[in-house]
Amino acid sequence: MIEWFTWVQLAVAVAAGLLCLVLGLAGRVPNDLANGALVLVELLLIVQLVVAIAAPAFGNQPTGSVLEFYVYLVGALLIPPAAIFWALLERNRWSTVILGVAALSVAVMVYRMLQIWTVQQA
Amino acid sequence: MRESNDMTDVRSARPQTNGGRRMSGIGRVLVAVYAVLALAAIGRSFVQIATKFDEAPLAYSLSALAAVVYVLATIALVRSGRGWYRVAWVTIAFEFTGVVVVGALSIAFPELFPHDTVWSWFGRGYLFIPLVLPVLGMWWLATHRPASSQPTGQVATTSGADAA
């Protein structure tokens, strides 16, 4: 895990979450901006997955449970597509709020991944 | 009070989603949060059971049970009809009881729960979402009864029982 990249990813997920919450509560139906923000969150997760697979080969080992790390990562990968799928099906403001909730959930999970990789003594 | 055409009401319960468009919208957000929590509970209990089930079989079995109940509650909230409405009440009441009882026990007798569960410390590890969510869920169910509100009495007893 590349620490600075994870922090950037965390910031993007939080920003995307807040943006979608604001847009949703302002009554906007899911637009390209909101969906695009979630696509960006998903792309960064895929990069994170590639980094996580490659990192141990370069001597960058997780300090915590590898299994737990991947459960979080795979779980997080599922969330944005589900939220976007929902947003495309149901065109109302609450779908935008759900996009926001999804991005914030990803942010929490990315933070846990960071902890598992760097802090835990297991 | 109880009509003979009881069973046909299950069909007519569907239009409930049309009443109060705005509310049914917020209900969707509730379902989404439930889905995320269900995912989190499944993930955690999977890790616990796969790696260290022997350490605390009780706590980890409870985690798995909680995960299953969250999944059921999510499905029940999405589905319409009297039966699913009842399932939603039972599962959400179960969650609320669980988070209150396990939460209180984990603070009063920490030695009982040396390992974290979703409900320890009232769901502190999950931003207290497990505590807040059932309350919102029950409120949503109470304000969105299936068309003919036959199970009102039953519903009142259910919520009364778990509040005690």
Side-chain angles (χ1 to χ4, degrees):
Chain A
M1 173 176 262
I2 301 166
E3 217 168 309
W4 67 262
F5 171 76
T6 308
W7 283 110
V8 169
Q9 182 180 20
L10 193 59
V12 169
V14 169
L18 294 178
L19 173 73
C20 293
L21 280 188
V22 169
L23 286 176
L25 295 176
R28 304 292 183 82
V29 299
N31 54 16
D32 287 352
L33 179 63
N35 282 321
L38 266 285
V39 169
L40 180 62
V41 168
E42 178 74 5
L43 287 177
L44 291 178
L45 281 171
I46 292 170
V47 174
Q48 182 70 262
L49 177 65
V50 173
V51 170
I53 291 171
F58 297 92
N60 181 352
Q61 297 282 353
T63 60
S65 157
V66 177
L67 175 67
E68 204 176 341
F69 178 85
Y70 276 105
V71 167
Y72 271 105
L73 185 48
V74 171
L77 278 164
L78 295 175
I79 292 177
I84 292 170
F85 181 66
W86 193 328
L88 294 176
L89 273 184
E90 201 171 284
R91 311 289 302 164
N92 67 38
R93 60 194 306 210
W94 298 111
S95 294
T96 315
V97 173
I98 288 169
L99 287 173
V101 170
L104 291 178
S105 309
V106 169
V108 171
M109 294 168 87
V110 167
Y111 184 67
R112 279 292 297 152
M113 285 189 258
L114 179 67
Q115 282 184 323
I116 292 168
W117 195 286
T118 60
V119 185
Q120 275 185 0
Q121 308 296 319
Chain B
M1 194 175 173
R2 191 170 277 265
E3 297 290 320
S4 56
N5 59 350
D6 207 352
M7 291 314 288
T8 54
D9 286 343
V10 176
R11 289 286 150 83
S12 63
R14 196 167 293 149
Q16 61 168 314
T17 42
N18 295 347
R21 194 155 255 295
R22 208 163 194 234
M23 271 318 307
S24 75
I26 286 195
R28 301 288 170 153
V29 178
L30 192 68
V31 172
V33 177
Y34 259 103
V36 171
L37 197 63
L39 184 70
I42 291 173
R44 170 167 246 182
S45 85
F46 170 72
V47 169
Q48 288 175 335
I49 288 175
T51 60
K52 45 190 180 181
F53 185 70
D54 313 336
E55 287 177 26
L58 180 68
Y60 295 157
S61 304
L62 200 64
S63 279
L65 179 65
V68 171
V69 172
Y70 280 121
V71 173
L72 260 181
T74 308
I75 296 168
L77 281 173
V78 177
R79 297 302 190 92
S80 58
R82 181 83 48 81
W84 283 112
Y85 182 77
R86 230 166 253 170
V87 172
W89 263 111
V90 171
T91 50
I92 292 175
F94 175 85
E95 281 168 27
F96 189 66
T97 313
V99 75
V100 168
V101 171
V102 174
L105 284 177
S106 66
I107 290 172
F109 308 101
E111 67 277 8
L112 270 182
F113 293 93
H115 300 266
D116 270 354
T117 69
V118 186
W119 292 329
S120 298
W121 287 83
F122 300 112
R124 183 181 55 177
Y126 292 85
L127 307 170
F128 297 104
I129 291 171
L131 180 63
V132 178
L133 211 52
V135 176
L136 291 177
M138 288 189 283
W139 169 72
W140 191 78
L141 285 175
T143 50
H144 291 77
R145 293 205 177 82
S148 104
S149 52
Q150 194 72 256
T152 311
Q154 200 181 358
V155 159
T157 16
T158 315
S159 60
D162 66 65

